[in-house]
């Protein structure tokens, strides 16, 4: 069979969320052919799952420039820049109109799950001629499976559908599968469609990020209407800097308020907090669940409780790319170049220096991982990061390396640049805060000084 010319094939974008559609918009701006594959029944399928959550970034940080240019030509009305939308509002007022534009409407295939990507006719072992082969995509639909070819692939499939398990060792805790009916992953709609599950019951929330904070605050609001509703919070670590945040020093006020309100729940005694708790097992006791774990002081039990919310983050699905040559950070499973910049073992500031096609490229030429999936298991991803990623990649694929390399990223400061937060009530925060220095690509002034001294930077004084 004669191989098709690479130039005649589209660039495949996997995922029809904000970053995937932004990638398509940028590719169209460069007059490159594109095909978008969305596994769900409509664009933004993952966001719809947590659609009740109001994000802490206002509209102006939720939209991509190339995407809004397409929308503007269709007569779209821009949402108020400083209003904070819910995920459902982002889908309804931004993603759905974007997908319906003349330029994109015929390029998006829904209910089309890409289950594997490989080089046409080659497994990952073969080197010769590899860069000149198209990519094979296995596409699963309700009516069967087919294979599509692409000249390049941008994986914006996200991580939402592959949550981390409850077990602290990265594996499911003993009993986690058996008692799955008692467990919700991510951010359940406590005040809406899932209200009956949580009202009048006690829920253990496990996790130390913004998802856990949202779940706890919703449970606290539910308790105001249903006083017998209770919540317990457990975290694997004892440093709550990332969730408590920088308060008034956070340039995203809603993010600062989220952390401050969560901290108040603990300090007021409304939500008991157990830190340093590593979950090992679940067992049933009288129709309820007891959670077993280990702490620095020894074994500990939490419960019995009625429900468990696991908000311990997500991880990338690496089975999709098993036959590709990827260069990943060994523990974060992020693009390797990003690993040292976003490693939560080192950083709590939530910022990342500008990066584009070079940092996101893999040994498999023409394949890129973008969006939250580019962060692997690391937290604190913002949409602005993904939009700049795909702008750079689209320019590189179009051959405009000057534009591709001119990477600029200005992220709102979190006001948290150290890990000085304590779980103890009344403890002070060690926080840089204030405006971003010079290039706005550092976490804080201490970080900029560390860079000037030849150290790693982005760790606010963490030595190289």
């Amino acid at each position: 069979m004669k191989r098709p010319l690479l130039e005649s094939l589209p660039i495949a974008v996997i995922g029809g969320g904000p970053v995937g559609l932004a990638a398509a918009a940028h590719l169209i701006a460069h007059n490159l052919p594109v095909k978008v594959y969305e596994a769900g029944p409509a664009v933004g399928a993952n966001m719809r799952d947590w659609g009740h959550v109001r994000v802490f970034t206002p509209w102006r940080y939720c939209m991509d420039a190339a995407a809004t240019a397409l929308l503007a030509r269709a007569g779209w009305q821009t949402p108020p820049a400083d209003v904070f939308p819910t995920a459902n509002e982002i889908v309804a007022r931004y993603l759905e109109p974007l997908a319906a534009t003349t330029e994109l409407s015929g390029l998006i295939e829904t209910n089309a799950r890409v289950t594997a990507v490989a080089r046409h006719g080659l497994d990952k072992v073969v080197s010769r001629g590899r860069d000149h082969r198209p990519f094979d995509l296995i596409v699963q639909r309700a009516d069967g499976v087919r294979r599509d070819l692409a000249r390049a692939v941008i994986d914006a499939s996200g991580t939402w559908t592959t949550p981390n398990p409850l077990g602290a060792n990265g594996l499911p805790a003993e009993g986690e599968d058996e008692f799955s009916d008692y467990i919700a992953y991510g951010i359940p709609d406590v005040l809406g469609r899932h209200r009956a599950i949580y009202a009048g019951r006690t829920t253990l929330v496990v996790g130390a990020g913004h998802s856990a904070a949202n779940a706890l605050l919703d449970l606290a609001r539910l308790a105001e209407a249903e006083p017998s509703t209770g919540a317990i919070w457990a975290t694997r670590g004892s440093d709550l800097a990332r969730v408590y945040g920088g308060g008034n020093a956070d340039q995203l006020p809603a993010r600062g308020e989220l952390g401050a309100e969560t901290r108040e729940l603990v300090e007021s005694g409304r939500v008991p907090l157990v830190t340093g708790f590593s979950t090992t097992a679940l067992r049933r006791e009288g129709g309820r669940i007891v959670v077993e774990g280990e702490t620095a002081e020894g074994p500990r039990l939490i419960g019995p409780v009625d429900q468990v919310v696991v908000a311990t983050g997500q991880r990338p699905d690496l089975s999709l790319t098993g036959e590709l040559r990827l260069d990943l950070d060994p523990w974060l499973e992020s693009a390797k170049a990003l690993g040292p910049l976003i490693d939560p073992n080192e950083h709590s500031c939530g910022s990342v220096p500008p990066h584009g096609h070079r940092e996101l490229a893999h040994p498999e030429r023409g394949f890129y991982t973008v969006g939250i999936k580019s962060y692997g298991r690391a937290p604190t991803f913002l949409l602005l990061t993904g939009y700049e990623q795909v702008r750079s990649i689209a320019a590189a694929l179009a051959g405009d390396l000057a534009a591709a390399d001119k990477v600029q990223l200005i992220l709102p400061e979190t006001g948290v640049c150290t890990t000085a937060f304590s779980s103890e009530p009344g403890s002070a925060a060690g926080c840089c805060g204030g405006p971003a220095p010079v290039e706005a690509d550092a976490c804080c002034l201490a970080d900029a000084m560390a860079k000037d001294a030849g150290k790693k930077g982005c760790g606010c004084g963490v030595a190289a």
Side-chain angles (χ1 to χ4, degrees):
M1 182 180 72
K2 185 178 179 180
R3 282 185 299 165
L5 294 173
L6 284 177
E7 292 75 17
S8 68
L9 297 174
I11 296 165
V13 177
I14 305 174
V19 177
L21 294 188
H26 282 280
L27 292 168
I28 288 171
H30 287 282
N31 296 312
L32 293 172
V34 59
K35 175 66 181 287
V36 179
Y37 299 86
E38 168 53 53
V43 295
N46 287 348
M47 291 191 76
R48 294 172 195 264
D49 193 47
W50 51 278
H52 59 286
V53 177
R54 190 167 299 281
V55 301
F56 49 64
T57 47
W59 270 112
R60 60 194 171 101
Y61 291 138
C62 295
M63 301 177 292
D64 169 75
T68 54
L70 291 182
L71 285 162
R73 290 204 289 270
W76 176 72
Q77 195 159 16
T78 309
D82 293 322
V83 170
F84 296 82
T86 64
N88 274 337
E89 289 168 343
I90 293 174
V91 171
R93 298 187 62 183
Y94 174 57
L95 296 186
E96 288 179 346
L98 178 59
T101 58
T102 302
E103 294 85 353
L104 281 182
S105 60
L107 308 178
I108 302 169
E109 183 180 2
T110 57
N111 291 309
R113 181 178 298 278
V114 177
T115 59
V117 182
R119 283 288 186 181
H120 185 63
L122 302 177
D123 65 19
K124 71 191 303 180
V125 176
V126 180
S127 298
R128 187 174 182 179
R130 190 172 192 88
D131 290 349
H132 303 291
R133 296 281 187 120
F135 289 92
D136 262 334
L137 281 72
I138 298 181
V139 184
Q140 185 174 12
R141 292 185 53 86
D143 56 359
V145 176
R146 72 170 194 269
R147 293 173 183 260
D148 288 357
L149 295 177
R151 70 164 85 173
V153 178
I154 298 175
D155 182 4
S157 59
T159 60
W160 183 254
T161 59
T162 48
N164 288 325
L166 182 58
N169 61 357
L171 302 175
E174 181 182 344
E176 186 168 350
D177 295 335
E178 180 183 354
F179 301 122
S180 59
D181 289 347
Y182 296 84
I183 300 172
Y185 297 88
I187 315 173
D189 190 359
V190 170
L191 299 174
R193 67 186 189 275
H194 302 137
R195 183 187 182 105
I197 298 173
Y198 299 95
R201 296 175 180 172
T202 299
T203 300
L204 171 65
V205 177
V206 182
H210 297 117
S211 293
N214 273 294
L216 288 165
L217 291 170
D218 281 351
L219 287 165
R221 294 184 187 106
L222 181 57
E224 293 173 0
E226 302 276 356
S228 56
T229 302
I232 303 171
W233 185 18
T235 64
R236 294 171 178 173
S238 57
D239 181 353
L240 302 180
R242 184 161 57 89
V243 64
Y244 281 166
N248 292 334
D250 197 320
Q251 291 182 1
L252 292 176
R255 181 170 57 189
E257 290 171 10
L258 180 71
E261 290 177 12
T262 306
R263 187 167 191 155
E264 194 277 332
L265 286 180
V266 174
E267 295 185 352
S268 68
R270 296 167 65 192
V271 173
L273 170 64
V274 181
T275 60
F277 183 84
S278 298
T279 306
T280 56
L282 288 80
R283 58 180 170 82
R284 200 195 315 267
E285 184 178 290
R288 304 176 80 197
I289 295 294
V290 172
V291 181
E292 300 178 359
E294 297 175 353
T295 69
E297 291 74 32
R300 177 162 179 175
L301 303 179
I302 297 179
V305 297
D306 302 291
Q307 300 290 326
V308 179
V309 172
V310 182
T312 54
Q314 292 82 35
R315 60 182 63 180
D317 177 7
L318 299 181
S319 65
L320 179 72
T321 51
E323 286 302 325
L324 296 181
R325 298 178 171 186
L326 303 189
D327 193 14
L328 301 175
D329 183 272
W331 51 89
L332 294 182
E333 297 172 343
S334 66
K336 190 170 185 178
L338 295 186
L341 310 178
I342 59 177
D343 188 345
N345 294 295
E346 301 291 339
H347 312 304
S348 61
C349 54
S351 189
V352 61
H355 61 277
H357 73 109
R358 295 192 186 279
E359 291 83 2
L360 297 168
H362 291 283
E364 197 70 71
R365 186 177 176 183
F367 180 86
Y368 300 91
T369 309
V370 300
I372 184 63
K373 194 170 184 179
S374 70
Y375 272 37
R377 301 191 185 197
T380 66
F381 176 81
L382 292 177
L383 283 177
L384 286 178
T385 304
Y387 295 155
E388 180 60 10
Q389 289 176 343
V390 297
R391 184 210 61 79
S392 172
I393 289 169
L397 290 171
D400 187 352
L401 291 183
D405 288 336
K406 192 175 181 180
V407 182
Q408 298 179 345
L409 181 65
I410 300 176
L411 295 177
E413 296 291 309
T414 66
V416 180
C417 298
T418 69
T419 53
F421 269 122
S422 167
S423 59
E424 293 300 318
S427 60
C431 169
C432 305
V438 192
E439 297 290 337
D441 64 347
C443 301
C444 60
L445 181 59
D447 177 62
M449 293 172 65
K451 287 180 177 179
D452 289 341
K455 300 178 181 179
K456 280 184 180 179
C458 205
C460 302
V462 176

